[in-house]
Short mmCIF file of all heavy atoms in Angstrom, two decimals:
data_model
loop_
_atom_site.label_atom_id
_atom_site.label_comp_id
_atom_site.label_asym_id
_atom_site.label_seq_id
_atom_site.Cartn_x
_atom_site.Cartn_y
_atom_site.Cartn_z
N MET A 693 71.98 131.94 147.01
CA MET A 693 72.26 133.35 147.26
C MET A 693 72.87 133.49 148.65
O MET A 693 72.28 133.03 149.63
CB MET A 693 70.97 134.16 147.16
CG MET A 693 71.20 135.65 147.21
SD MET A 693 69.70 136.54 146.75
CE MET A 693 69.17 137.13 148.34
N PRO A 694 74.04 134.07 148.72
CA PRO A 694 74.65 134.19 150.05
C PRO A 694 73.89 135.18 150.93
O PRO A 694 73.41 136.21 150.46
CB PRO A 694 76.06 134.71 149.74
CG PRO A 694 75.94 135.36 148.42
CD PRO A 694 74.83 134.65 147.67
N THR A 695 73.77 134.84 152.16
CA THR A 695 73.15 135.77 153.10
C THR A 695 74.25 136.42 153.91
O THR A 695 75.18 135.76 154.36
CB THR A 695 72.19 135.03 154.04
OG1 THR A 695 72.91 133.97 154.68
CG2 THR A 695 71.01 134.46 153.30
N THR A 696 74.16 137.70 154.07
CA THR A 696 75.10 138.38 154.94
C THR A 696 74.38 138.75 156.23
O THR A 696 73.21 139.13 156.22
CB THR A 696 75.67 139.65 154.30
OG1 THR A 696 74.58 140.47 153.89
CG2 THR A 696 76.54 139.32 153.11
N THR A 697 75.08 138.61 157.30
CA THR A 697 74.52 138.97 158.60
C THR A 697 75.41 140.06 159.19
O THR A 697 76.60 140.12 158.87
CB THR A 697 74.49 137.75 159.54
OG1 THR A 697 75.79 137.17 159.55
CG2 THR A 697 73.48 136.73 159.06
N PRO A 698 74.85 140.89 160.03
CA PRO A 698 75.69 141.95 160.59
C PRO A 698 76.68 141.40 161.61
O PRO A 698 76.41 140.43 162.30
CB PRO A 698 74.68 142.89 161.26
CG PRO A 698 73.48 142.05 161.51
CD PRO A 698 73.45 140.99 160.45
N CYS A 699 77.83 142.03 161.67
CA CYS A 699 78.80 141.71 162.71
C CYS A 699 78.14 141.93 164.08
O CYS A 699 77.54 142.98 164.31
CB CYS A 699 80.00 142.65 162.54
SG CYS A 699 81.18 142.58 163.90
N PRO A 700 78.22 140.95 164.99
CA PRO A 700 77.57 141.11 166.29
C PRO A 700 78.21 142.19 167.17
O PRO A 700 77.63 142.59 168.17
CB PRO A 700 77.69 139.73 166.94
CG PRO A 700 78.81 139.07 166.23
CD PRO A 700 78.84 139.63 164.84
N SER A 701 79.38 142.65 166.78
CA SER A 701 80.04 143.69 167.58
C SER A 701 79.72 145.08 167.05
O SER A 701 79.27 145.94 167.78
CB SER A 701 81.54 143.45 167.58
OG SER A 701 82.18 144.48 168.30
N CYS A 702 79.98 145.30 165.75
CA CYS A 702 79.85 146.66 165.23
C CYS A 702 78.67 146.83 164.28
O CYS A 702 78.40 147.94 163.83
CB CYS A 702 81.13 147.07 164.52
SG CYS A 702 81.43 146.12 163.02
N ARG A 703 77.97 145.72 163.94
CA ARG A 703 76.75 145.76 163.13
C ARG A 703 77.00 146.04 161.66
O ARG A 703 76.07 146.25 160.90
CB ARG A 703 75.75 146.79 163.66
CG ARG A 703 75.34 146.56 165.09
CD ARG A 703 74.55 145.28 165.24
NE ARG A 703 74.48 144.87 166.65
CZ ARG A 703 74.08 143.66 167.02
NH1 ARG A 703 73.75 142.76 166.13
NH2 ARG A 703 74.04 143.34 168.29
N ARG A 704 78.27 146.10 161.24
CA ARG A 704 78.52 146.21 159.81
C ARG A 704 78.36 144.83 159.18
O ARG A 704 78.47 143.82 159.86
CB ARG A 704 79.93 146.75 159.56
CG ARG A 704 80.05 148.24 159.87
CD ARG A 704 81.44 148.73 159.63
NE ARG A 704 82.40 148.03 160.50
CZ ARG A 704 83.68 148.34 160.60
NH1 ARG A 704 84.18 149.33 159.90
NH2 ARG A 704 84.47 147.68 161.40
N PRO A 705 78.10 144.77 157.88
CA PRO A 705 77.98 143.46 157.23
C PRO A 705 79.27 142.67 157.34
O PRO A 705 80.36 143.23 157.30
CB PRO A 705 77.68 143.81 155.77
CG PRO A 705 77.20 145.21 155.79
CD PRO A 705 77.89 145.87 156.95
N LYS A 706 79.12 141.36 157.49
CA LYS A 706 80.29 140.49 157.53
C LYS A 706 80.01 139.29 156.64
O LYS A 706 78.87 139.08 156.23
CB LYS A 706 80.56 140.03 158.96
CG LYS A 706 79.47 139.15 159.52
CD LYS A 706 79.87 138.54 160.83
CE LYS A 706 78.76 137.65 161.40
NZ LYS A 706 78.32 136.59 160.48
N GLY A 707 81.00 138.52 156.35
CA GLY A 707 80.82 137.32 155.55
C GLY A 707 79.99 136.29 156.29
O GLY A 707 80.03 136.22 157.52
N PRO A 708 79.22 135.47 155.57
CA PRO A 708 78.28 134.53 156.22
C PRO A 708 78.97 133.48 157.07
O PRO A 708 78.39 132.99 158.03
CB PRO A 708 77.54 133.89 155.05
CG PRO A 708 78.38 134.15 153.84
CD PRO A 708 79.13 135.42 154.12
N ALA A 709 80.20 133.11 156.76
CA ALA A 709 80.88 132.06 157.53
C ALA A 709 81.73 132.63 158.65
O ALA A 709 82.43 131.90 159.34
CB ALA A 709 81.75 131.22 156.61
N LYS A 710 81.69 133.94 158.84
CA LYS A 710 82.56 134.58 159.82
C LYS A 710 81.79 134.89 161.10
O LYS A 710 80.60 135.17 161.06
CB LYS A 710 83.11 135.89 159.25
CG LYS A 710 83.84 135.72 157.93
CD LYS A 710 85.20 135.06 158.14
CE LYS A 710 85.89 134.79 156.81
NZ LYS A 710 86.02 135.98 155.99
N TYR A 711 82.51 134.83 162.22
CA TYR A 711 81.89 135.18 163.50
C TYR A 711 81.77 136.69 163.64
O TYR A 711 80.84 137.20 164.25
CB TYR A 711 82.72 134.65 164.66
CG TYR A 711 82.74 133.14 164.78
CD1 TYR A 711 83.84 132.50 165.31
CD2 TYR A 711 81.65 132.38 164.39
CE1 TYR A 711 83.88 131.13 165.45
CE2 TYR A 711 81.67 131.00 164.52
CZ TYR A 711 82.79 130.38 165.05
OH TYR A 711 82.82 129.03 165.19
N LEU A 712 82.78 137.41 163.13
CA LEU A 712 82.84 138.87 163.26
C LEU A 712 83.35 139.43 161.94
O LEU A 712 83.94 138.70 161.14
CB LEU A 712 83.84 139.27 164.37
CG LEU A 712 83.52 138.87 165.81
CD1 LEU A 712 84.73 139.09 166.69
CD2 LEU A 712 82.34 139.65 166.33
N CYS A 713 83.19 140.73 161.72
CA CYS A 713 83.84 141.33 160.56
C CYS A 713 85.36 141.31 160.79
O CYS A 713 85.84 141.12 161.91
CB CYS A 713 83.34 142.75 160.34
SG CYS A 713 83.97 143.95 161.51
N SER A 714 86.13 141.50 159.73
CA SER A 714 87.57 141.32 159.87
C SER A 714 88.17 142.34 160.84
O SER A 714 89.09 142.02 161.59
CB SER A 714 88.25 141.39 158.51
OG SER A 714 87.99 142.60 157.87
N ASP A 715 87.67 143.56 160.85
CA ASP A 715 88.22 144.56 161.78
C ASP A 715 88.05 144.10 163.23
O ASP A 715 88.99 144.17 164.03
CB ASP A 715 87.51 145.90 161.61
CG ASP A 715 88.01 146.65 160.38
OD1 ASP A 715 88.93 146.15 159.71
OD2 ASP A 715 87.46 147.73 160.10
N CYS A 716 86.84 143.65 163.56
CA CYS A 716 86.59 143.22 164.94
C CYS A 716 87.36 141.94 165.25
O CYS A 716 87.89 141.78 166.35
CB CYS A 716 85.10 143.00 165.15
SG CYS A 716 84.14 144.52 165.10
N TRP A 717 87.41 141.03 164.28
CA TRP A 717 88.12 139.76 164.49
C TRP A 717 89.56 140.01 164.91
O TRP A 717 90.05 139.42 165.86
CB TRP A 717 88.05 138.95 163.20
CG TRP A 717 88.77 137.64 163.28
CD1 TRP A 717 89.95 137.32 162.67
CD2 TRP A 717 88.36 136.47 164.00
NE1 TRP A 717 90.29 136.02 162.98
CE2 TRP A 717 89.34 135.48 163.79
CE3 TRP A 717 87.25 136.19 164.81
CZ2 TRP A 717 89.24 134.21 164.37
CZ3 TRP A 717 87.16 134.93 165.38
CH2 TRP A 717 88.15 133.96 165.15
N PHE A 718 90.24 140.91 164.21
CA PHE A 718 91.66 141.12 164.50
C PHE A 718 91.87 142.03 165.71
O PHE A 718 93.01 142.27 166.11
CB PHE A 718 92.39 141.63 163.26
CG PHE A 718 92.57 140.52 162.25
CD1 PHE A 718 91.80 140.47 161.10
CD2 PHE A 718 93.48 139.50 162.49
CE1 PHE A 718 91.93 139.44 160.19
CE2 PHE A 718 93.62 138.45 161.59
CZ PHE A 718 92.85 138.42 160.43
N THR A 719 90.77 142.51 166.29
CA THR A 719 90.87 143.22 167.56
C THR A 719 90.79 142.25 168.74
O THR A 719 91.23 142.56 169.84
CB THR A 719 89.73 144.26 167.66
OG1 THR A 719 89.79 145.09 166.50
CG2 THR A 719 89.87 145.14 168.89
N LEU A 720 90.26 141.07 168.51
CA LEU A 720 90.20 140.06 169.58
C LEU A 720 91.60 139.67 170.03
O LEU A 720 92.53 139.67 169.21
CB LEU A 720 89.50 138.80 169.08
CG LEU A 720 88.00 138.82 168.84
CD1 LEU A 720 87.56 137.47 168.28
CD2 LEU A 720 87.23 139.13 170.10
N PRO A 721 91.78 139.30 171.29
CA PRO A 721 93.07 138.75 171.71
C PRO A 721 93.38 137.48 170.92
O PRO A 721 92.48 136.71 170.59
CB PRO A 721 92.86 138.41 173.19
CG PRO A 721 91.67 139.21 173.61
CD PRO A 721 90.81 139.37 172.38
N GLN A 722 94.66 137.27 170.66
CA GLN A 722 95.06 136.11 169.85
C GLN A 722 94.55 134.78 170.42
O GLN A 722 94.09 133.93 169.65
CB GLN A 722 96.58 136.11 169.68
CG GLN A 722 97.06 135.21 168.55
CD GLN A 722 97.13 133.75 168.96
OE1 GLN A 722 97.34 133.45 170.12
NE2 GLN A 722 96.96 132.86 168.01
N PRO A 723 94.62 134.55 171.74
CA PRO A 723 94.11 133.26 172.25
C PRO A 723 92.62 133.06 171.96
O PRO A 723 92.19 131.94 171.72
CB PRO A 723 94.37 133.35 173.76
CG PRO A 723 95.46 134.36 173.91
CD PRO A 723 95.22 135.36 172.80
N ALA A 724 91.85 134.14 171.99
CA ALA A 724 90.42 134.02 171.69
C ALA A 724 90.23 133.65 170.22
O ALA A 724 89.40 132.81 169.87
CB ALA A 724 89.69 135.33 172.01
N ARG A 725 91.02 134.26 169.34
CA ARG A 725 90.90 133.92 167.92
C ARG A 725 91.28 132.47 167.68
O ARG A 725 90.61 131.76 166.93
CB ARG A 725 91.83 134.81 167.07
CG ARG A 725 91.35 136.23 166.94
CD ARG A 725 91.94 136.89 165.70
NE ARG A 725 93.39 136.83 165.65
CZ ARG A 725 94.20 137.72 166.22
NH1 ARG A 725 93.70 138.75 166.85
NH2 ARG A 725 95.50 137.60 166.12
N ALA A 726 92.35 132.01 168.32
CA ALA A 726 92.78 130.63 168.14
C ALA A 726 91.69 129.67 168.61
O ALA A 726 91.41 128.65 167.96
CB ALA A 726 94.08 130.39 168.88
N ALA A 727 91.07 129.98 169.75
CA ALA A 727 90.02 129.10 170.27
C ALA A 727 88.82 129.07 169.32
O ALA A 727 88.27 128.02 169.03
CB ALA A 727 89.59 129.57 171.66
N LEU A 728 88.44 130.24 168.83
CA LEU A 728 87.27 130.31 167.95
C LEU A 728 87.54 129.67 166.60
O LEU A 728 86.60 129.27 165.91
CB LEU A 728 86.85 131.77 167.77
CG LEU A 728 86.21 132.40 169.01
CD1 LEU A 728 86.19 133.91 168.89
CD2 LEU A 728 84.80 131.87 169.24
N ASN A 729 88.78 129.58 166.20
CA ASN A 729 89.12 128.95 164.92
C ASN A 729 89.08 127.43 165.00
O ASN A 729 89.09 126.76 163.97
CB ASN A 729 90.51 129.38 164.45
CG ASN A 729 90.44 130.64 163.63
OD1 ASN A 729 89.42 130.93 163.00
ND2 ASN A 729 91.52 131.40 163.62
N ARG A 730 89.09 126.88 166.19
CA ARG A 730 89.01 125.42 166.31
C ARG A 730 87.59 124.96 165.96
O ARG A 730 86.61 125.59 166.35
CB ARG A 730 89.38 124.97 167.72
CG ARG A 730 90.85 125.12 168.02
CD ARG A 730 91.30 124.19 169.14
NE ARG A 730 90.51 124.35 170.36
CZ ARG A 730 90.79 125.25 171.30
NH1 ARG A 730 91.79 126.07 171.17
NH2 ARG A 730 90.03 125.33 172.37
N ARG A 731 87.49 123.89 165.24
CA ARG A 731 86.19 123.34 164.89
C ARG A 731 86.07 121.97 165.52
O ARG A 731 86.63 121.00 165.04
CB ARG A 731 86.04 123.22 163.36
CG ARG A 731 86.05 124.55 162.62
CD ARG A 731 84.76 125.31 162.87
NE ARG A 731 84.65 126.48 161.99
CZ ARG A 731 85.09 127.69 162.29
NH1 ARG A 731 85.69 127.90 163.43
NH2 ARG A 731 84.92 128.68 161.44
N ASP A 732 85.37 121.91 166.62
CA ASP A 732 85.16 120.62 167.28
C ASP A 732 83.82 120.68 168.00
O ASP A 732 83.00 121.55 167.72
CB ASP A 732 86.32 120.31 168.23
CG ASP A 732 86.47 121.34 169.34
OD1 ASP A 732 85.51 122.08 169.60
OD2 ASP A 732 87.55 121.41 169.95
N ASP A 733 83.59 119.75 168.92
CA ASP A 733 82.28 119.67 169.57
C ASP A 733 81.95 120.91 170.41
O ASP A 733 80.79 121.14 170.74
CB ASP A 733 82.23 118.44 170.49
CG ASP A 733 82.20 117.14 169.70
OD1 ASP A 733 82.02 117.21 168.46
OD2 ASP A 733 82.37 116.07 170.30
N HIS A 734 82.96 121.69 170.76
CA HIS A 734 82.72 122.87 171.59
C HIS A 734 82.62 124.16 170.78
O HIS A 734 82.53 125.24 171.36
CB HIS A 734 83.81 123.02 172.65
CG HIS A 734 83.78 121.94 173.68
ND1 HIS A 734 82.70 121.70 174.50
CD2 HIS A 734 84.71 121.01 174.03
CE1 HIS A 734 82.96 120.68 175.30
NE2 HIS A 734 84.18 120.24 175.03
N ALA A 735 82.64 124.06 169.46
CA ALA A 735 82.65 125.27 168.65
C ALA A 735 81.43 126.15 168.94
O ALA A 735 81.55 127.36 169.08
CB ALA A 735 82.71 124.91 167.17
N MET A 736 80.27 125.52 169.05
CA MET A 736 79.08 126.33 169.31
C MET A 736 79.11 126.94 170.71
O MET A 736 78.66 128.06 170.92
CB MET A 736 77.81 125.48 169.14
CG MET A 736 77.47 125.14 167.69
SD MET A 736 77.37 126.59 166.60
CE MET A 736 76.01 127.48 167.35
N ALA A 737 79.65 126.20 171.67
CA ALA A 737 79.76 126.72 173.03
C ALA A 737 80.68 127.94 173.06
O ALA A 737 80.43 128.92 173.75
CB ALA A 737 80.27 125.65 173.98
N ARG A 738 81.78 127.87 172.27
CA ARG A 738 82.70 129.02 172.22
C ARG A 738 82.02 130.20 171.56
O ARG A 738 82.21 131.36 171.98
CB ARG A 738 83.97 128.63 171.48
CG ARG A 738 84.86 127.71 172.30
CD ARG A 738 86.23 127.55 171.67
NE ARG A 738 86.18 126.79 170.44
CZ ARG A 738 86.37 125.48 170.36
NH1 ARG A 738 86.64 124.77 171.43
NH2 ARG A 738 86.29 124.87 169.20
N LEU A 739 81.24 129.94 170.51
CA LEU A 739 80.53 131.04 169.86
C LEU A 739 79.54 131.69 170.83
O LEU A 739 79.42 132.91 170.87
CB LEU A 739 79.81 130.51 168.61
CG LEU A 739 79.09 131.54 167.76
CD1 LEU A 739 80.04 132.65 167.30
CD2 LEU A 739 78.44 130.87 166.56
N ARG A 740 78.88 130.86 171.64
CA ARG A 740 77.97 131.43 172.63
C ARG A 740 78.73 132.27 173.65
O ARG A 740 78.23 133.31 174.09
CB ARG A 740 77.19 130.32 173.34
CG ARG A 740 76.01 129.81 172.53
CD ARG A 740 75.02 129.02 173.40
NE ARG A 740 75.63 127.82 173.96
CZ ARG A 740 75.68 126.65 173.33
NH1 ARG A 740 75.18 126.52 172.13
NH2 ARG A 740 76.24 125.62 173.91
N GLU A 741 79.92 131.83 174.04
CA GLU A 741 80.73 132.63 174.96
C GLU A 741 81.03 134.00 174.36
O GLU A 741 80.92 135.03 175.03
CB GLU A 741 82.06 131.94 175.27
CG GLU A 741 81.98 130.79 176.24
CD GLU A 741 83.38 130.42 176.70
OE1 GLU A 741 83.90 131.09 177.58
OE2 GLU A 741 83.95 129.46 176.13
N LEU A 742 81.45 133.98 173.09
CA LEU A 742 81.74 135.24 172.41
C LEU A 742 80.52 136.14 172.40
O LEU A 742 80.58 137.31 172.79
CB LEU A 742 82.20 134.94 170.97
CG LEU A 742 82.34 136.14 170.05
CD1 LEU A 742 83.46 137.06 170.53
CD2 LEU A 742 82.60 135.70 168.61
N HIS A 743 79.38 135.59 171.98
CA HIS A 743 78.18 136.41 171.84
C HIS A 743 77.68 136.93 173.18
O HIS A 743 77.22 138.06 173.27
CB HIS A 743 77.09 135.62 171.12
CG HIS A 743 77.33 135.53 169.64
ND1 HIS A 743 76.56 134.76 168.81
CD2 HIS A 743 78.25 136.11 168.84
CE1 HIS A 743 76.99 134.88 167.56
NE2 HIS A 743 78.02 135.68 167.56
N SER A 744 77.77 136.10 174.22
CA SER A 744 77.27 136.57 175.52
C SER A 744 78.16 137.69 176.06
O SER A 744 77.67 138.62 176.70
CB SER A 744 77.16 135.42 176.51
OG SER A 744 78.44 134.95 176.86
N GLN A 745 79.47 137.62 175.78
CA GLN A 745 80.34 138.71 176.23
C GLN A 745 80.08 139.98 175.43
O GLN A 745 80.05 141.09 175.99
CB GLN A 745 81.81 138.28 176.12
CG GLN A 745 82.18 137.27 177.20
CD GLN A 745 83.55 136.67 176.97
OE1 GLN A 745 84.55 137.27 177.31
NE2 GLN A 745 83.59 135.49 176.37
N LEU A 746 79.87 139.84 174.13
CA LEU A 746 79.53 141.01 173.33
C LEU A 746 78.23 141.63 173.82
O LEU A 746 78.12 142.86 173.97
CB LEU A 746 79.40 140.62 171.86
CG LEU A 746 80.69 140.23 171.14
CD1 LEU A 746 80.37 139.70 169.75
CD2 LEU A 746 81.65 141.40 171.06
N ALA A 747 77.24 140.78 174.11
CA ALA A 747 75.95 141.28 174.59
C ALA A 747 76.11 141.95 175.95
O ALA A 747 75.36 142.87 176.28
CB ALA A 747 74.94 140.13 174.67
N GLY A 748 77.07 141.49 176.75
CA GLY A 748 77.30 142.06 178.06
C GLY A 748 78.19 143.29 178.05
O GLY A 748 78.52 143.83 179.09
N GLY A 749 78.62 143.70 176.85
CA GLY A 749 79.41 144.92 176.75
C GLY A 749 80.89 144.74 177.01
O GLY A 749 81.60 145.71 177.25
N VAL A 750 81.38 143.51 176.98
CA VAL A 750 82.82 143.28 177.17
C VAL A 750 83.57 143.82 175.94
O VAL A 750 83.20 143.51 174.81
CB VAL A 750 83.12 141.78 177.33
CG1 VAL A 750 84.62 141.52 177.45
CG2 VAL A 750 82.38 141.22 178.55
N PRO A 751 84.60 144.65 176.14
CA PRO A 751 85.36 145.15 174.99
C PRO A 751 86.01 144.01 174.22
O PRO A 751 86.41 143.00 174.83
CB PRO A 751 86.43 146.05 175.61
CG PRO A 751 85.95 146.34 177.00
CD PRO A 751 85.10 145.18 177.41
N LEU A 752 86.13 144.18 172.91
CA LEU A 752 86.74 143.14 172.07
C LEU A 752 88.10 142.72 172.59
O LEU A 752 88.46 141.55 172.55
CB LEU A 752 86.87 143.64 170.63
CG LEU A 752 85.57 143.70 169.81
CD1 LEU A 752 85.84 144.44 168.51
CD2 LEU A 752 85.02 142.32 169.55
N THR A 753 88.87 143.68 173.07
CA THR A 753 90.23 143.39 173.51
C THR A 753 90.26 142.56 174.81
O THR A 753 91.31 142.10 175.20
CB THR A 753 91.01 144.68 173.75
OG1 THR A 753 90.25 145.52 174.62
CG2 THR A 753 91.25 145.42 172.43
N GLU A 754 89.08 142.42 175.46
CA GLU A 754 89.04 141.68 176.73
C GLU A 754 88.20 140.41 176.64
O GLU A 754 87.93 139.76 177.65
CB GLU A 754 88.49 142.59 177.83
CG GLU A 754 89.45 143.74 178.12
CD GLU A 754 88.88 144.73 179.10
OE1 GLU A 754 87.94 144.38 179.85
OE2 GLU A 754 89.37 145.87 179.13
N ILE A 755 87.79 140.05 175.43
CA ILE A 755 87.00 138.82 175.25
C ILE A 755 87.87 137.62 175.60
O ILE A 755 89.03 137.53 175.19
CB ILE A 755 86.53 138.70 173.79
CG1 ILE A 755 85.59 139.86 173.41
CG2 ILE A 755 85.89 137.32 173.52
CD1 ILE A 755 84.16 139.70 173.82
N GLN A 756 87.29 136.71 176.38
CA GLN A 756 88.00 135.47 176.71
C GLN A 756 87.11 134.29 176.31
O GLN A 756 85.92 134.28 176.63
CB GLN A 756 88.29 135.40 178.21
CG GLN A 756 89.30 136.44 178.66
CD GLN A 756 89.70 136.26 180.10
OE1 GLN A 756 89.12 135.45 180.83
NE2 GLN A 756 90.70 137.01 180.53
N VAL A 757 87.70 133.34 175.64
CA VAL A 757 86.99 132.12 175.25
C VAL A 757 87.65 130.96 175.96
O VAL A 757 88.83 130.71 175.79
CB VAL A 757 87.04 131.94 173.72
CG1 VAL A 757 86.31 130.67 173.31
CG2 VAL A 757 86.41 133.14 173.02
N THR A 758 86.87 130.29 176.80
CA THR A 758 87.47 129.34 177.73
C THR A 758 87.23 127.88 177.36
O THR A 758 87.87 127.00 177.92
CB THR A 758 86.89 129.55 179.14
OG1 THR A 758 85.47 129.42 179.09
CG2 THR A 758 87.23 130.95 179.64
N ARG A 759 86.29 127.60 176.45
CA ARG A 759 85.96 126.21 176.14
C ARG A 759 86.96 125.62 175.16
O ARG A 759 87.47 126.33 174.32
CB ARG A 759 84.55 126.10 175.56
CG ARG A 759 83.48 126.59 176.48
CD ARG A 759 83.30 125.69 177.68
NE ARG A 759 82.71 124.42 177.28
CZ ARG A 759 81.41 124.13 177.36
NH1 ARG A 759 80.58 125.02 177.81
NH2 ARG A 759 80.97 122.96 177.02
ZN1 ZN B 540 82.65 144.22 163.43
#
């Protein structure tokens, strides 16, 4: 049974394999989306960067993923 979790930005339901709902995802700057789409040893570190900025109130349009 698939589990849905809320989007960490807007709290609407999102797909289980997605970091954000599609509306929020496409609001991110393109470089942040490209970084988050990479799957390598730093994927979890990038996800933590995203979540800590969301928790800190950084607007979606200003999210930066540096790893
Ligand atoms: Zn959202």
Side-chain angles (χ1 to χ4, degrees):
M693 188 169 105
T695 55
T696 54
T697 51
C699 171
S701 177
C702 67
R703 302 294 164 194
R704 286 179 299 187
K706 66 171 180 56
K710 304 287 176 54
Y711 292 150
L712 295 168
C713 74
S714 58
D715 282 357
C716 292
W717 178 252
F718 287 105
T719 306
L720 288 177
Q722 197 279 331
R725 287 203 305 274
L728 289 164
N729 272 333
R730 289 203 306 273
R731 295 289 190 269
D732 61 19
D733 290 349
H734 292 300
M736 287 307 297
R738 287 191 290 267
L739 183 57
R740 280 197 297 274
E741 283 193 81
L742 171 65
H743 283 173
S744 68
Q745 287 171 81
L746 291 173
V750 177
L752 285 170
T753 53
E754 294 174 20
I755 297 278
Q756 292 187 352
V757 180
T758 57
R759 300 291 291 263

